[in-house]
Amino acid sequence: MVANFVSADYGYLCSPDGSESSQVLFRASKNKEGYFMNEDILMDTQKAMDILNKFYPNEEHVLVFNNATTHLKRADNALSARKMPKGTSKPEKNWGVEVTATAADGSALYDPGGKLVKTKVRMGDGLLASGEAQSLYFPQDHKDARLFKGMAVILCERGFIEESKLHVECKGFKCLPGATTCCCHCILFNQPDFVAVKSPLEITCKLQGVKVLFLPKFHCELNFIEQCWGYAKRIYREFPASFKEADLEKNVITPLDSVPLESMRRYAWRSWRFMMFYGWGLDRKLAAWTSKKYQGHHVITEALMETIDREAPK
Ligand SMILES: [Zn+2]
């Protein structure tokens, strides 16, 4: 498998002399389930940012990722109101977030029957309007030491005294559209610190001054990454099948290297225009134009794409 970063300006991300590259090749092994894990993505992104900072420090960098679960995954203990109980936990059953237990080297632990071992961790702190951290658990010197406070207490500490008496959640977690104070879950869900939870990927990039965008989920015809990938795949399929590792590696790299920069630019342009349509840019004229063109189109046809290429306001 291969992971890399690609830009419409430079093609695949590497140092100007090509000696340092953000490309990562790896073999799908059983204990990695064959997929890039969140930690791998963080490491690869760091590698890319190191190249950007070292060789292109005078440019503004925006990393665009596919809308994949591994990219968007929040930390296990990130703030989330979804499963919180309203009342304070009982000593025999303290509330926490269930996570997969890991060994010292970070690998998942399995029980003798082959099932993943689960363990409970505390949810991270909230952030009060005052800028002060709010632990969701009572302190050591409290009569309910270390127990989960429960939503009612958490809301009271945030000044929602009356609201803390509301029901836990609206039926099926389906609050009325636009409602923000209908139930305990909804109030917390709309609190700035609960809204602002970012994925470790976004946090890592932001700390280093690199902006992050996620592509919309659908319409791979307009997804820059999918388009480059698709181009390479068409070439890959022309190679004879092989089980030899050296062949496999060559068969993966050659097609990827053969995507012309010109095509990358065309894909990127479409993608960028499309992202504007989703309101990621401030191009209102384009947004208005596109939504009119798209009305009633659930599938973007080739003809419609040509129209975008040809007519979209520049
Ligand atoms: Zn509600």
Side-chain angles (χ1 to χ4, degrees):
M1 296 180 90
V2 60
N4 206 349
F5 287 83
V6 55
S7 112
D9 290 325
Y10 302 112
Y12 294 110
L13 178 59
C14 59
S15 59
D17 68 357
S19 64
E20 287 182 48
S21 153
S22 62
Q23 188 182 66
V24 178
L25 275 170
F26 62 103
R27 259 160 295 162
S29 62
K30 201 181 161 213
N31 58 11
K32 284 217 163 190
E33 291 158 355
Y35 291 100
F36 229 32
M37 307 302 266
N38 207 252
E39 304 86 72
D40 299 319
I41 287 160
L42 278 178
M43 258 162 55
D44 190 27
T45 306
Q46 188 56 58
K47 201 170 158 190
M49 286 195 292
D50 289 345
I51 295 175
L52 292 174
N53 292 330
K54 192 168 162 191
F55 300 103
Y56 311 96
N58 300 321
E59 292 174 354
E60 188 187 348
H61 302 294
V62 183
L63 294 182
V64 182
F65 293 91
N66 258 346
N67 201 306
T69 331
T70 35
H71 294 153
L72 298 166
K73 194 179 179 296
R74 297 165 163 195
D76 285 334
N77 69 341
L79 283 181
S80 163
R82 188 141 178 84
K83 290 177 183 161
M84 274 188 190
K86 187 176 171 184
T88 298
S89 289
K90 298 272 178 289
E92 63 275 14
K93 204 175 182 233
N94 201 6
W95 186 80
V97 189
E98 199 173 86
V99 299
T100 302
T102 51
D105 66 353
S107 61
L109 285 177
Y110 292 87
D111 68 13
K115 269 171 67 183
L116 283 169
V117 179
K118 296 284 179 183
T119 181
K120 248 189 234 174
V121 295
R122 282 166 66 129
M123 186 168 279
D125 289 352
L127 190 68
L128 298 173
S130 62
E132 205 183 321
Q134 178 191 35
S135 174
L136 307 185
Y137 297 80
F138 285 114
Q140 191 65 42
D141 56 3
H142 189 274
K143 71 171 175 57
D144 291 324
R146 298 189 306 279
L147 294 180
F148 177 68
K149 290 174 178 174
M151 278 195 294
V153 174
I154 293 166
L155 284 169
C156 281
E157 288 180 356
R158 288 170 181 246
F160 296 105
I161 312 293
E162 281 308 308
E163 291 88 339
S164 72
K165 295 170 194 156
L166 286 167
H167 52 259
V168 177
E169 66 177 32
C170 296
K171 210 171 171 212
F173 206 47
K174 285 182 185 132
C175 305
L176 288 173
T180 52
T181 54
C182 47
C183 57
C184 291
H185 272 156
C186 190
I187 298 171
L188 273 182
F189 185 77
N190 284 294
Q191 284 284 287
D193 53 341
F194 280 72
V195 173
V197 173
K198 301 232 178 315
S199 64
L201 182 65
E202 281 178 277
I203 296 167
T204 311
C205 293
K206 218 178 155 189
L207 281 173
Q208 293 171 64
V210 173
K211 287 193 189 117
V212 172
L213 286 177
F214 293 98
L215 286 170
K217 255 190 191 159
F218 308 104
H219 303 309
C220 63
E221 319 88 305
L222 293 173
N223 177 322
F224 177 36
I225 303 162
E226 291 295 338
Q227 291 291 300
C228 290
W229 194 238
Y231 191 110
K233 262 202 263 191
R234 282 193 292 275
I235 299 174
Y236 174 83
R237 290 204 192 100
E238 290 166 14
F239 289 115
S242 168
F243 290 105
K244 272 196 259 164
E245 209 170 298
D247 287 345
L248 283 172
E249 195 169 313
K250 200 180 93 224
N251 290 358
V252 166
I253 294 174
T254 316
L256 282 167
D257 284 345
S258 65
V259 183
L261 187 58
E262 199 183 298
S263 304
M264 289 178 178
R265 287 185 177 155
R266 198 172 60 243
Y267 302 148
W269 188 81
R270 276 181 182 171
S271 223
W272 184 245
R273 292 268 135 188
F274 192 56
M275 275 156 55
M276 295 275 209
F277 168 61
Y278 269 84
W280 288 347
L282 293 170
D283 193 339
R284 292 221 185 123
K285 199 166 95 191
L286 179 81
W289 180 86
T290 339
S291 60
K292 219 165 108 196
K293 286 275 169 195
Y294 277 70
Q295 230 163 35
H297 291 274
H298 292 292
V299 175
I300 296 164
T301 60
E302 188 60 39
L304 195 56
M305 270 199 307
E306 277 169 22
T307 314
I308 296 171
D309 283 344
R310 199 174 54 240
E311 293 175 18
K314 306 231 154 56

